[in-house]
């Protein structure tokens, strides 16, 4: 963000980070604290304040630059209060703050990108800005949208967080009941990948690429949720998901092929499945099955499901036909015999 300095009769004023009207409307405030003042208000050192600020995903400023809001100090104080009670130690607090920052950053980018189209619609319709801007301007339309959406979306955000928190806690509770390691679990991991995305993207407009990726992610997420699985991450042309039931994982893979690869308006897709022990950490999963599922998509034919041997053994033999494919080198695993699987 831009900074400016103002010279007055009393001398040079501190550099100040300026906010646009839209930023101020969203934050409901303007910067009034320097980094040093933020630290003093929160009663911590400037280095501690900077560490937490970086963990949230924001760039730090020089100590004398007015760039922070009173609400920033309150947020840091709240976190420090939890730490003081012994609920979280310093490292865990920073890790959770970083996870929160990364999640909110992606959500914010996603939300703004989605709302741009609505802002354009309001602008074209000549929507008047009731917040003091120019009637019918894009900024005015955006300000009106912020005013209309802020409170209901914040309520939805908290509601969704609690529901997902309850679901995650239930999974951990089930592991504890079975005396399992709370950080390691047996899962089937799926990796769905658009075929030839790089070449395809070179033939499409930027808008069409964005629409394609959004539709791919949305349809995959719907199928995963319907089968009681979880999307771990989306990486443009691919989606990583998990399920504790290998049969449901297969149904997820089959569903993704049906809604993506079988749709003549969409590109073909390949899906790899691998099962085994994975490590759960900060909302992500790690371990050989994750890597294997990704590698298998390089072997799978278009709109086909390919699995490792472990997954093929877990599927009911009376429902599935399995066929071992030719052994081949798979990066990181040596020589592997993938298994093509389909229902009878």
């Amino acid at each position: 963000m831009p900074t400016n300095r103002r010279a007055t009769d009393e001398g040079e004023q501190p550099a100040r980070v300026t906010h646009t009207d839209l930023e101020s409307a969203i934050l409901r405030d303007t910067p009034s604290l320097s980094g040093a003042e933020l630290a003093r208000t929160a009663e911590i050192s400037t280095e501690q304040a900077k560490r937490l600020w970086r963990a949230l995903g924001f760039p730090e400023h020089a100590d004398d630059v007015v760039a922070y809001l009173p609400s920033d100090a309150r947020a840091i104080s709240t976190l420090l209060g939890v730490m003081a009670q012994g609920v979280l130690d310093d490292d865990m607090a920073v890790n959770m703050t970083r996870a929160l920052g990364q999640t909110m950053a992606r959500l914010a980018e996603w939300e703004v990108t989605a709302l741009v189209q609505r802002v354009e619609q309001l602008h074209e319709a000549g929507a008047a800005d009731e917040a003091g801007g120019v009637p019918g301007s894009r900024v005015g339309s955006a300000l009106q949208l912020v005013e209309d959406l802020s409170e209901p979306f914040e309520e939805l955000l908290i509601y969704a967080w609690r529901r997902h928190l309850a679901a995650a806690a239930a999974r951990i509770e089930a592991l504890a009941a079975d005396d399992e390691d709370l950080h390691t679990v047996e899962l089937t991991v799926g990796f769905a990948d658009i075929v030839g995305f790089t070449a395809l993207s070179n033939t499409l407009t930027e808008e069409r690429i964005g629409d394609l990726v959004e539709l791919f992610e949305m349809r995959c997420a719907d199928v995963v949720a319907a089968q009681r699985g979880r999307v771990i991450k989306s990486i443009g042309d691919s989606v990583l998901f998990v399920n504790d039931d290998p049969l449901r994982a297969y149904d997820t893979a089959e569903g993704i092929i049906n809604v993506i690869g079988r749709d003549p308006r969409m590109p073909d897709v390949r899906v790899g499945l691998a099962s085994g022990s994975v490590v759960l950490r900060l909302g992500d999963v790690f371990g050989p099955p994750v890597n294997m599922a990704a590698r298998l998509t390089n072997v799978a034919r278009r709109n086909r499901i390919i699995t490792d041997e472990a997954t093929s053994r877990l599927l009911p033999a009376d429902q599935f036909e399995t066929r071992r494919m030719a052994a081949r080198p798979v990066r990181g695993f040596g020589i592997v015999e993938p298994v093509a699987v389909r229902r009878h």
Side-chain angles (χ1 to χ4, degrees):
M1 295 179 189
T3 62
N4 58 65
R5 287 187 180 273
R6 293 197 313 272
T8 68
D9 293 338
E10 298 177 0
E12 191 176 67
Q13 296 297 308
R16 180 179 296 272
V17 172
T18 59
H19 279 174
T20 65
D21 290 342
L22 185 56
E23 287 176 294
S24 296
I26 294 172
L27 294 171
R28 300 171 184 172
D29 208 346
T30 55
S32 60
L33 299 175
S34 67
E37 291 169 335
L38 173 72
R40 284 197 298 270
T41 302
E43 299 182 341
I44 57 174
S45 70
T46 55
E47 286 307 313
Q48 286 178 301
K50 288 178 180 179
R51 187 184 184 201
L52 293 174
W53 194 246
R54 287 195 302 269
L56 280 170
F58 299 116
E60 61 189 65
H61 300 274
D63 294 344
D64 61 345
V65 174
V66 176
Y68 304 97
L69 313 176
S71 56
D72 297 331
R74 290 194 295 271
I76 290 177
S77 295
T78 298
L79 180 58
L80 292 172
V82 174
M83 294 164 62
Q85 295 172 16
V87 179
L88 302 174
D89 61 28
D90 288 4
D91 290 339
M92 186 178 295
V94 170
N95 284 338
M96 290 191 65
T97 301
R98 182 174 294 110
L100 177 65
Q102 291 176 355
T103 302
M104 292 299 101
R106 186 170 187 219
L107 176 61
E109 291 291 344
W110 198 340
E111 182 185 0
V112 169
T113 301
L115 291 178
V116 163
Q117 183 177 358
R118 181 56 180 158
V119 168
E120 287 297 322
Q121 291 172 347
L122 291 173
H123 172 65
E124 291 173 4
D129 171 30
E130 298 177 3
V134 179
S137 70
R138 288 181 175 82
V139 172
S141 298
L143 286 167
Q144 186 63 53
L145 201 58
V146 167
E147 183 177 335
D148 293 340
L149 284 180
S150 288
E151 290 190 13
F153 195 81
E154 285 178 15
E155 291 181 9
L156 180 62
L157 185 67
I158 297 298
Y159 161 78
W161 169 71
R162 287 191 178 277
R163 290 290 291 177
H164 282 292
L165 183 64
R171 290 192 292 270
I172 295 299
E173 186 178 25
L175 290 175
D178 294 335
D179 293 326
E180 298 286 345
D181 183 346
L182 300 185
H183 300 290
T184 305
V185 63
E186 296 289 321
L187 292 175
T188 297
V189 180
F191 200 88
D193 180 53
I194 294 176
V195 176
F197 181 76
T198 300
L200 177 64
S201 62
N202 289 334
T203 67
L204 302 176
T205 64
E206 293 180 357
E207 182 177 1
R208 174 60 180 141
I209 293 171
D211 290 344
L212 174 64
V213 170
E214 182 177 352
L215 186 59
F216 170 69
E217 291 184 352
M218 180 181 67
R219 289 187 176 182
C220 287
D222 286 346
V223 173
V224 172
Q227 294 298 333
R228 303 180 185 177
R230 287 180 290 142
V231 172
I232 299 300
K233 65 179 73 172
S234 299
I235 317 170
D237 62 336
S238 58
V239 169
L240 175 66
F241 64 90
V242 298
N243 202 303
D244 57 8
D245 182 338
L247 182 56
R248 285 189 176 277
Y250 181 90
D251 290 339
T252 300
E254 193 172 56
I256 289 173
I257 289 174
N258 287 336
V259 299
I260 303 293
R262 307 295 186 203
D263 186 338
R265 299 166 299 175
M266 296 290 289
D268 293 328
V269 66
R270 297 175 296 205
V271 187
L273 298 176
S275 301
S277 180
V278 300
V279 176
L280 307 175
R281 185 163 179 80
L282 298 178
D284 208 340
V285 293
F286 305 90
V290 180
N291 301 324
M292 176 62 79
R295 301 284 188 269
L296 288 175
T297 59
N298 296 324
V299 178
R301 295 172 58 193
R302 295 168 180 262
N303 303 323
R304 294 290 187 273
I305 302 168
I306 195 169
T307 78
D308 65 346
E309 184 178 353
T311 303
S312 68
R313 290 199 306 265
L314 293 170
L315 295 172
D318 60 339
Q319 297 181 35
F320 291 90
E321 174 185 327
T322 61
R323 177 175 59 84
R324 287 184 177 276
M325 302 174 66
R328 65 199 68 200
V330 174
R331 184 160 56 91
F333 292 92
I335 303 300
V336 173
E337 288 186 320
V339 182
V341 181
R342 67 177 183 178
R343 292 184 185 276
H344 287 309

